Amino acid sequence: MTRVVNRSRGTVLAEQAGVARSWWARGKGLLGRRGLPEGGGLVINPCSSIHTWFMAFPIDVAFVAADGRVVRTAHALRPWRFGPFARQVRYVVELPAGALVRSDTHADDYLELVAFADDAAPAHAPGAA
């Protein structure tokens, strides 16, 4: 699990986001879920484009470069859609619809992923997951 923080604005996008790194986990993404809880999310790394085929709920998406800069955002992307294309993206953060507005996250903000090591306090992990 990881916390996703907007360093530029001092806000939190997700208190507890899963991280999908394997081929299988990245391909599955949020499929099969009925929704994301407030404060939840999924970091898909590496990933430069997404779709919402077979999903049951809309999501917000931040497309993020390797240095943590938000390259592009997508708000309330509905099921059965392709996400927007964005260049220079290393990973994406999928969030409950409305999370980008609540955290005041915009293109050119910088995100930080703060990893949790088992039950210990968060260990800072700047940039990509």
Side-chain angles (χ1 to χ4, degrees):
M1 295 300 262
T2 190
R3 179 179 294 130
V4 183
V5 177
N6 184 327
R7 288 190 328 217
S8 301
R9 300 183 189 273
T11 58
V12 176
L13 283 78
E15 283 292 339
Q16 294 186 1
V19 179
R21 287 194 183 102
S22 72
W23 179 85
W24 175 254
R26 291 186 343 253
K28 183 177 183 224
L30 296 173
L31 295 177
R33 296 191 193 184
R34 292 184 178 186
L36 276 171
E38 281 301 312
L42 180 66
V43 176
I44 304 175
N45 184 8
C47 181
S48 61
S49 64
I50 58 114
H51 68 81
T52 59
W53 290 13
F54 304 103
M55 288 184 54
F57 55 95
I59 57 173
D60 282 359
V61 185
F63 296 83
V64 187
D67 65 355
R69 183 177 63 85
V70 176
V71 174
R72 186 170 189 166
T73 60
H75 295 265
L77 189 61
R78 295 181 311 183
W80 297 97
R81 303 288 190 270
F82 284 107
F85 176 76
R87 293 177 186 237
Q88 301 176 351
V89 172
R90 172 66 180 165
Y91 64 95
V92 300
V93 181
E94 298 182 338
L95 302 156
L100 292 173
V101 169
R102 285 189 293 280
S103 64
D104 196 27
T105 299
H106 303 276
D108 293 326
D109 286 354
Y110 282 84
L111 302 187
E112 180 177 14
L113 304 178
V114 183
F116 293 91
D118 297 328
D119 293 329
H124 291 283

